Amino acid sequence: MNILLIVIIAITVIVSFKGFEDLNFFRKFEFHIGSIRAGEQFRMISSAFLHADIAHLAFNMLTLYIFAPIVYGFLGNFTFGLVYAASLIFGSLLTLLFHKNDYSYRAIGASGAVTGVLYSAILLQPDMSLFLFFIPIPIPAYIFGIGYLLYSIYGMKAKRDNIGHTAHFGGAIGGYVLTLIAKPNMFVDNIEMVLLLAIPIVLLFVLEKLGKL
């Protein structure tokens, strides 16, 4: 198993369990717009190592464990680390951008970084098939990726749940951008997939520009 992946999972598990047991620790390092705008920008990174409960933690780490090998297999360990870090940061930045005036907004979890790794894996291997527990047939990875981001746009617009859709979307952008920087030949070798996976990203910013979110 990849050492960098082990380190990421281990640190996330340790910090998350500390947060489960210590509410003051949890509150100090969670993503909180008011605190970030007051100068505590470290929360934009530290919040990615906290989780709401064991199920939340397990889902994120399992998803990372499944898709990370595709990314470091194609791009190497160093670039995989950059994809994870950039996706985390993009997720936090997009969340800050979209919720900057909601001073009470809070969020936690590695979902943004993990979604970035997932979207990177889809871009690198779009012909793989994914299985969802409620759909017993294989789904082409690129269809899933596009559908997932379109659902995230819906979630951002509807605001009916506590899921950090904005962080997921920002993470996907980070994974998409870093993968293309690392593999610019994809603009020639697989331009159709590059353009397809860009559709929901372009749509998000068009809707934002039009004030529809």
Side-chain angles (χ1 to χ4, degrees), residues 36-210:
I36 291 170
R37 295 199 61 177
E40 296 183 359
Q41 283 81 14
F42 64 86
R43 290 172 178 263
M44 297 177 69
I45 295 174
S46 63
S47 57
F49 296 93
L50 294 168
H51 287 81
D53 50 39
I54 292 177
H56 184 205
L57 172 64
F59 180 81
N60 274 339
M61 294 302 97
L62 179 61
T63 304
L64 178 63
Y65 178 80
I66 291 171
F67 292 100
I70 297 172
V71 179
Y72 61 69
F74 275 92
L75 304 180
N77 283 345
F78 179 74
T79 306
F80 161 65
L82 287 181
V83 168
Y84 191 85
S87 299
L88 188 164
I89 292 168
F90 270 64
S92 290
L93 286 173
L94 194 69
T95 303
L96 181 62
L97 176 66
F98 275 65
H99 296 277
K100 61 181 179 294
N101 295 320
D102 184 358
Y103 283 75
S104 64
Y105 185 89
R106 301 173 185 272
I108 39 86
S111 301
V114 172
T115 303
V117 171
L118 169 62
Y119 216 66
S120 174
I122 291 171
L123 185 58
L124 291 165
Q125 198 170 317
D127 56 344
M128 66 178 170
S129 295
L130 304 179
F131 288 85
L132 302 179
F133 68 91
F134 51 87
I135 302 178
I137 57 174
I139 301 172
Y142 71 94
I143 296 294
F144 172 83
I146 293 169
Y148 183 76
L149 290 195
L150 291 176
Y151 169 72
S152 294
I153 291 175
Y154 168 78
M156 292 164 66
K157 186 176 177 61
K159 299 179 176 137
R160 293 176 180 171
D161 54 40
N162 292 321
I163 298 173
H165 297 288
T166 314
H168 295 176
F169 208 108
I173 294 173
Y176 179 84
V177 170
L178 261 291
T179 301
L180 290 177
I181 290 174
K183 286 277 190 180
N185 60 295
M186 296 188 73
F187 285 105
V188 175
D189 298 338
N190 205 0
I191 186 62
E192 296 86 358
M193 198 56 59
V194 170
L195 294 175
L196 271 175
L197 291 173
I199 289 172
I201 296 173
V202 173
L203 178 62
L204 173 76
F205 288 102
V206 169
L207 291 174
E208 171 63 13
K209 186 71 174 178
L210 295 175

Side-chain angles (χ1 to χ4, degrees), residues 12-24:
T12 305
V13 169
I14 291 168
V15 174
S16 291
F17 270 85
K18 173 66 175 175
F20 296 157
E21 299 170 355
D22 187 339
L23 183 59
N24 289 331

